Each structure stands twice: as C-alpha cells, then as structure tokens.
Amino acid sequence: MGKTFAEKALGRAAGHEVRAGEIVTVEPDFCMSHDNAAPIARTFKKIGVKNVWKPERIVFILDHAVPAPSDDHAINHKEIREFSAEQGIANFFDVTSKGGVCHQVMCEEGFALPGLIMIGSDSHTCTYGAYGAFSTGIGRSEMAAAWATGQIWFKVPESLKVTVTGSFRPGVSAKDLILTLIGDIKADGADYMSVEFHGPAIEAMSIAERMTLCNMGIEMGAKNAVCPPDAKVLEAIRDKAKTDRWEALWADDDAVYAKELTYDAGDIVPCVAKPHTVDNYAAIDEAKGTPIHQAFLGSCTNARIEDLRAAAAILKGKQVAVRTIVIPASWKVYRQCLAEGLIETFLDAGCVITNPGCGPCMGNHEGILAPGETCISTANRNFKGRMGNKESFIYLASPLTVAASALKGEIADPREVL
Amino acid sequence: MGKTMIHKIIERSAGREVKVGDRVWCKIDLSTARDFGGANCVLQFQEVTDKKGKVWDPNKIAFTFDLQAPAHSEKVAVNQKIIRDFAREQGIEKVFDVNWGIGQHVLLEHGLVKPGDVILGTDSHMNLLGAVGAFATGVGNTDIVASWFEGTNWFRVPETMKITVTGRFARGVCMRDLLTKIVGDLGADGMFFKAVEFGGETIEAASLADRITLCSMVTEMSGKVGLIMPNGEVLDWLVERAGEEVRDRIKALAPDSDAVYSDDLHFDVDKLEPMASCPDAPDNVKTVREVAGNHVDQVHIGSCSNGRFEDIEAAYKVLEAGGFKVSPKVRTIITPATREVMRKCAAAGYIEKFLDAGIVFTNPTCSLCTAEHYGALPAGDVGVSTTNRNFIGKVGKGSHTYLMSPMSAMATAVRGVITDPRDILG
Amino acid sequence: MEKTILRGRAWVFGDDVDTDLIYHNKYLAETDPKKMPQYSFEYYPGKEHFAKEVKPGDFVVAGTNFGCGSSREHAVYCLKYAGVPVVLAENYSRIYYRNAINNGYPVLFIQGISQAIKDGKIEDGDELEVDLAKGEVKNVTKGTVFHGDAVADLEKDIMAAGGLIEYLKSRAEQ
Amino acid sequence: MKITGKVWKYGDDVNTDVIFPGKYTYTIKERSEMAKVALEDLDPEFTQKAKAGDIIVAGKNWGCGSSREQAVSCLKERGIGAIIAKSFARIYYRNCFNEGLPIIVSPDAVEAIEAGDEVTVDFDSGKVITARGEFPFPPYPDFVKGLIEDGGLIPHVKKSLGLK
C-alpha cells in the first residue's frame, strides 16, 4: 500500500514509517514568525530555557505593520530586534528593503524547500507546499515551546487528493480554482487534512499560482497543502536553498486518500467569495455590478510579479474608478515591478503603491475600511471585520477580477476587459 | 506709508485699506481640510446647521488625505468616509484621496494656489504655500467651518519681519540648514504672530522645493506666514499650473519700496555649515559636526518640509557618493511628498537604487510626522528626520529626534551614526 | 461670563508647551470633543496623571508660546471639556490662540508668569484665585499676585458671543 | 473534573477574526484586555455579559482562520469553562489544549442544547449533561490529557524539561 505525501514527509522527519492517524513528534526544519515573534519571545522567556534550540532554524520577518505605524508597533518591533540579537537569530528581516510578506520571503529566500517540516506562527504558513514542503501554521505558545524544545507533535493527517486537468480559459487563474474548490467543499471541507494537488493543470502552473492554491489550504481547514516538487521547483531553489536537508518527496500512485476530487480547469470561470465567508462562492455573473469603494491588490495570496503583471495589463493607460491599493508581496517583487515599468503603470492609473507588507489584509495597516464600505480584494479572507471594520464587506477575487473591478468601480468580469 | 506683501494680500481680500493690528474679515479663496481635522469640520458643520447647511461655494473647498494614507485605523477610515460622503453631498469635487500625497503640495501641483490667495487648512504647515506668495494659514476646525458659511474669516493684520539672504551654499549645505540656523537664532517664538518676507539673491535663485522648505518652518517660530515673491523658473512653473493670471497677481503683490518692517534681518550662507535641531525642540540647534558620531536607530526623509523631488535627489547624490549602501545599523525610510514626486523618482531610476541600498520607499503621505504612520519610534530609539518637529514623544513616547537636511539625513544613514554630509561628498 | 472670580488648583507647565504634549497626535482621529480630555497631557513628562486627576475648576498655568505646533483644535477641547475654566500663560501660539477664541474658551496673557514658574513662585497644587474681568491672578498659597490681559477687540466680541460660530450666527441675525 | 455553566450558542464556521479582531493583535497585549473584546464583532452581548464558568456551544469548524492564539486566550481569560462544538478548526484545536481551555466535540450535544441552557460537562465520565439529555464524548488522547493536566503547553514543557 502506497503512502501519501504527509505520510512520507512526517515519516522521514520522525525517522520511522508512519500512517495517517498516528501521533508523531518531529524536529522542525524552519520556524517562521512575523511581528508576533515579540509575544512569542515573552512566552519563551517564561519557560525558563536560556537559549533557543537552534537559532539558525528560526526566521523572523516583519510584515504586519511596517514601518511601525504606532509606538505600540514600534515597541513590538524593538523587542524582536533585541531578542534576535540576544539569541543570535541571523535570519531576521527587519524594516529594510530586503523583506516583504513573510510567506513570500520564505519562498524567495530559499527557506521553503521540498520535504522539509516547516512551522510558522501564521495560519498561511501552508503556502510553502508550493515548494513541496510540509508546512503548517501553529499558535504562539506552541511556537515558544518549539523554540525551547526543537520539537512539535503532529497527528499524521489523512489526505485529500485534488486532481486538476485541462487548462484555464483567458481571464481565469489559480485564484478562481481555489475559490471554486473551497466553495464546493466548504470552510471545513479539509479539516485536519493534508491537501495534495495533482494533475497536468497543476504541473502547467507557475510556482506563483501554486502558492496561491496552497496559501488558501487553511481556508478549507487543511493542516497543509502541497504541490509536486517537480523540475520547476528544483530549478527555483537551485542556488538559493538555505539548507541541504531537503528531499523531493511525493505521494505514491497507490496512496490511500480520505477523499478524492477532480476538476477540469477549463470548466472554471472567474468568481468571487462573497462576504463573510471564503466558501461563499459566486460565479462572476452573479456578483458583477456590485458597487465597490476600494480595490486591494496584495497579500501573501496574490501579490507576486505574475499577479501584478496581470493586473497592470488591465490597468495600463486607464484610470481606476475607486481607490486602489497595490501592495507588492515583497521588495523583490516591487523591484521587479520597477524594472518592468509596472510601478509607473499603477501610479499613472491612480493607484496607491505602498511598501510591501500585509497592508489592510488583517485590519492592521494601510487600507482599513469604514462601515458600509465594500472592498474587492486578492487576499485570502473576507471574514466579518477582517479589514478593520465589522460593518464592511469584502469580496475575494483574482488579480484580474480585482483590476477589472477597480476600473469600473463595481465588480466586473475580467473577460470583458481583456 | 508703504505696504508689505501681507498687507496687500489682506487688502485685496478684505476690500479695504488696513493697518497693522486691525482685525479684518477676509474673503477666502480656498478652504481646505485634511483627513485629520476634516471629519471634525464636517461633523461640526452638520451639527451647527442641523445637517441642512450648504457650503458657500463647493469650488472653493478642497479635501486632502495625507495624515494617514491609506488609513490604518478604523477611526481614520471612518473619518475619511465622513469627508468623502460630505463632499459628494455638497458637490465638492476637489477631493484628493489617499492616492495623491501631502495636501499643500497636491494643491500646488494642481494649480489651485495663486500668489495673493487667502487659504485656510487644518494643517499648521499650510503656510508653506507662502513659497508662491499665497497667504495660507493653519487653523482649527471651527475656523474652517466658519469659512464654509460665507467664505470669510477674520485675521489680525500682522507686522512683517524681513529676512534677506545672501551668498551661496557650500557643497553639502542647503536651504534646510539655513532654516535650522534661523530657528536656532530666533527661537520657537521668534516670529511670534508675524508675517515674514524672505528675499535676497539666495532666495531669488532658490528652487520651489527650497522655498517650500523655508516657508514650512515659519510655523516652528510661531510665525503667521513666510512669503516669497515668485520669480524665474518658479514663476514659469506656477503659470504652467495655475494660469497666466499668476503674472498679474504678483504685480499687485510686490511690497512697496517704503514698506515698514518690524525687523530687518540678514543672513549670509557662504560660511553656513550643515545644521541640526537636536532633541527635543526645533530651536535646540547645533552644527551637525557638533553632534557627529551620535547614535541613531532610524533615518527618515520626507514630509511637507523636505519631501519634494529635489530633496530626494539631494539625498540620492549623497547615497551615490557613499557607494549606494546604507548602514545595516539604521532603518532608512524615504517618503515622497506626492504621487507626482514618486513618479519622477521612479522615472529617474532613484527608487531602484534606494531599494538596492536597503532603503524602504513608501507611498506619498505625511508619514513620520505623527506617531500614527510609517516609522513611529519605540521608547529609547533615536531618529534623524527631515520633518519639521522633534517635540518630545511626538513620534513615540520616550523617543528622540534630530531634524536635519535630506543630505545630512542620508549621510547619517550611510554611516549609521550622525554624519556631516561633507564627509561623504568630499 | 457669569462668574468672574474663580478659585482652583494650579497645574504648572513650562514654556513652548506644544500641541503634542497637550494632546498627542496618536489620538487625532477622535472627533468627539467630550472624549478628548482623557488624553490631555499624556505625553508630558511628569504630567501623565493630569487627565486622571484634574478636577473641574483646576487651572492650567504655563510659560511662553503655549500650544505651539499643530492646528489641532483637540488641544483646546481636551482642556475645555476637562473643566479647566481658563488657561493662564505668558502668551500663546497663534493657532492655539485662535482656536481658543473661536471656542469662546478664555485664555489670559499673564505677565511674568514664565519666569515665576522657573523661579518656583508658582507650583503644582497652589491655590489660585483668578479674576477674569480684571485679569488678575492671586496665588493664595504663596501670597503673590500676577497681572494679565484679557482679550480685546474682535476677539472679545467673539468670546462674548460664545465662540466664532455663535458670533457669526448672531451677526447673520442682525 | 466537572464544569457547569450557562450556554452561549453560535453557528457554523465562527472565525478567529470575530472571536478576536485582527486589528487588536498588536495593540492589545494584556490577557485581561483581550478578554474585554472577546467576540465583539459577533455578539456584543457576550462581550458585555459573559461570566466566568459560562460555556460556548457552536456548530462546525469553530475558530477557523488565523493562527492567533488570542482567540483562545480571550475566552480562557474571560473564564469560559469549555467550548462544545460540532468540530474545531485545526489550529484553534491545538491552541485550546496549549492554553488549557477544555473543548468537547459532540455534534449531538450541539444539536440538542439551546442558548441559555445550563449544561454540565463531566470530564471523568466523558459526558455532557443537560436537561435535554446526556451526550457522551470520546476521551482526549493521552498526549492531550497530559497537556490539560499540566495546565497547558508552556507548564507542560517546563515540567518535561525539569524547569520550575
């Protein structure tokens, strides 16, 4: 009987064969924290251990509110600076032009690698599955404990196999696929599970698109989400892998799955997730015409160069009709936008282009909504109050749909402007 | 008896002869409010008019969003919406939303400021518009609301202080340093309630950016407004933006040769050195040399005082001389004043070089001028900034700030400690 | 002004008290004047307890250039709605002065008070008696007297009307 | 161990943003302050009135969304005795044990219980006891029992490392 990806990755880390349902304790390859490293450090100090188990395995990336927008945030950042200096944590991305949204930086900088066990004190840590890593989000206490002990327990998850064939039609992208999938299986459709993406449509995708898919694994309750570590991944990590502990692992053909689903990419249409849940799917035909007050192109889900190129192609030479906030996922992406003239395109179209970071995604920074306002966003959550105000409304969509909507001032079908 | 610029402006606006000390009612050419103060104005106007009031002239009202753009707190988001909704309802079209930049600069770039105009705004640095000969002044929300009824407000006709500047700046020294010196010499209340006319060869040769810098800091000496006669390239720029009418306006604005001034000061910049306002007051002035080597955690370049393209370019030149690298010991943040400035920085290839050097480049906004935007400081940190105030705790309780020129700020970023830019420029 | 002789405790501040010290920029988004007193002087070193302990009737005493800095009217509201009946300073920054007048909020120009503060001749907690009509301030605790000017000219009329908006209204009615 | 309390009842997919709004993640540091804003975007009445010992009963996927542990801390600090749900989101589930906040998975109990009921959770016998009937729930895995007994992950780690 074959094994799933999760069984292989956790078995490799545990040093013995494992099957779904078993509880294993493993040593994480990398532990990622963002601005919440400060409260975690305080909890860590309460444990009473002097030093973190392996400083080289800990990564801090400031992204939730950078540069600090209040003295409270500034104090939080300062605590992280002091803690990383004291503990010798060299992988610290401070307020400079070297960082960005934590998950993007983890991938760009070669931390996300096939077969590694990666934990992060952020629920979207599952993004690194695009590189074939077993990666998952955990809470603050658990991260503090991991720093102290170098260990974390997992119940080996059952797996959901999603096979995608065919190819996207123009105006459709990975975001539409993942919103469709979550709409179908709902917010708890993959609770506790490992989601594996298989099939020719996945293989045809860029790593950026795979990151969009894996990023939203958590939105269906998954423990992790993963794509095959194929030649594209191996090429992407060449010369930048931060460790050689990695190994390209993938599920056996005869692995046993709790559930299997198949999609034809050609059947997917542009869509949105309506307020206030990610699984509140609506095809674009149903949603278009909804007036909006703000468009947001950003977040760890959809702000890579591929996403911004797609949006810029729609915005070029035109004027946005609503305030449009563009936040590249990282400074590398920002730099690439400059080189390709996209920053100019966005500025000329009337957008705000801020420094990379999480922006308004979780109600902390640039672009908070007022009561009664509606935003169309490329981010991953549209929960009530998510962007800072409980009486506002968030629609999730692809970069193409967000750009098309920004031009019209209402939710629009990107196929009509392409 | 001859008249100064401010007298001529007030007389034009009041429609009668005035003398120093008179309280007069003036016609307002433009009444503006920001995302800070703007919502207070709207709510107050609605309250006193029982929500039925109409503003006197929607074309003479403007809103700018710059204090926290885009909003990162719920309250500011709400305040911005209050303004947007009010503007729509009242037919006010001049709403410069979060994508434009610092208010006064955006108004200037849009040709909405003419020499001789009387302009109100909820920004104490509104008076930097004196750089093009406008009498603009910062006021509270009540003053703005009052102006919305009939387009008028009261002013006391101020005395005028004359400041003549001669000489040429040495390498590494600029208008900001002169200004810092003036603040140090005159003190925080050195221009108490007065208007100031800046003139002399140095001013006449100065760029618009430098004139803005100079006028912006009049606030820090408790002056009413600093005024400069537009000439040369500045005049051409202004005509291009605000129309030919500008030329007639300045003819009527020129001070009489026998105008009476309360003070007549002279500064020569030939031997001026880079200057710094040290913690925790703008008038606590020393030369940069005197504080060189001091510890710094963050450097910030931007604000309505020093966020124009020329300011950023001056900083760029220092970065270039320093090998396009800033010290990893400091966090360096650059904030352009407006979208137009940012666009120019992108086209010039500066942003790429800043990023390569490790510098954070933000969208146009007031940024670090409050503790509620990019670059707030934690207790114990020391900042260097090109903003205009270093009051204790202003950008974070228990933090301290040095105010300097963009060149000195960048030199500091390059070396990681307070540095005289001449040490890098050679 | 109904009551022209006021009695209360002094809270003493220095010269150049800027608007960030009176009402910090952190709270600029507040639009309800009645909620502003809770932040008064929060950033003034050594006076962080002002907002909690100030009692209606207490006086704010300061040196020169009180209220320099921002145009924020919050810096007037936060004292007015805390029940501070009048500010007693050597002089005021331009915008603060306007904002006070426009709100019908009394400010007195007290000669020599800046130096008196430096010399310890007026201190926190001193009992003061202020005659608004005469512009006289008696330090009951220390037995000293200061003289000041109340506002004149147009400002007096605006004050008498209760503030700029009220003044404009009454002018419109005439 | 037995817990008895009054029930606050909620639906499916209640996410971490309504349990503890994201805008507070860096402005609220004290647990006591976290408790004050618990569930404010979902149920202001809870925020005002919930008392120590009260029990939350909810549908499927309680706590989906962010990894923010404050969404557990705020309820634990508020004194919530237990959460009974049809299912819990993964990270929330872990965070509860890590914080030592007892949770029970019992779809049947959730169906039966109404808001305002008084409910007893008997951990020893593994039953939810209500006026509408008794509902057994499976015991925690041994591993998790250890966490709860030690009062959460941090005390558990201290104990296992031999630290005081």
Side-chain angles (χ1 to χ4, degrees), chain C residues 46-66:
Chain C
K47 290 286 196 302
E48 295 87 350
H49 57 300
F50 176 89
K52 269 197 185 133
E53 295 176 14
V54 67
K55 289 201 192 85
D58 286 358
F59 300 108
V60 165
V61 178
T64 57
N65 206 20
F66 185 78

Side-chain angles (χ1 to χ4, degrees), chain A residues 34-36 42-43 46-49 64 72-73 75-76 79 121-123 136-142 144-145 149 152-154 186-188 191-192 218 221-223 276 279 362-364 381 383-386 388 390, chain D residues 13 15-18 21-29 34 40-42 44 60-61 64-70 87-91 93-95 97-99 105 141 143-144 147 153-154 157-158 160-161 163-164:
Chain A
H34 44 64
D35 304 40
N36 65 11
R42 290 197 290 274
T43 304
K46 277 186 208 150
I47 295 173
V49 179
H64 272 49
D72 294 333
H73 286 92
I75 290 164
N76 190 71
E79 274 185 61
S121 49
D122 184 281
S123 58
T136 190
I138 57 170
R140 291 176 176 185
S141 298
E142 190 136 27
T149 62
I152 181 154
W153 66 273
F154 290 111
K186 297 298 169 193
D188 62 343
D191 258 359
Y192 315 117
I218 181 73
K223 182 172 281 182
H276 292 289
D279 58 8
M362 42 94 72
N364 249 301
R381 284 192 184 131
F383 298 156
K384 197 175 177 184
R386 172 80 177 172
K390 66 174 171 175
Chain D
D13 301 317
N15 64 66
T16 48
D17 272 293
V18 295
K23 63 188 173 193
Y24 296 133
T25 45
Y26 295 98
T27 53
I28 296 182
K29 287 181 187 170
M34 292 176 194
E40 75 169 21
D41 282 357
L42 179 72
K60 70 181 177 70
N61 208 24
C64 60
S66 164
S67 62
R68 73 184 64 129
E69 199 163 310
Q70 298 97 313
S87 67
F88 289 86
R90 192 189 72 80
I91 308 179
Y93 182 85
R94 289 182 84 100
N95 283 343
F97 293 120
N98 293 342
E99 289 260 342
V105 178
F143 179 83
V144 166
L147 284 181
L153 180 66
I154 298 303
V157 167
K158 284 177 91 158
S160 62
L161 292 173
L163 298 162
K164 271 184 195 161

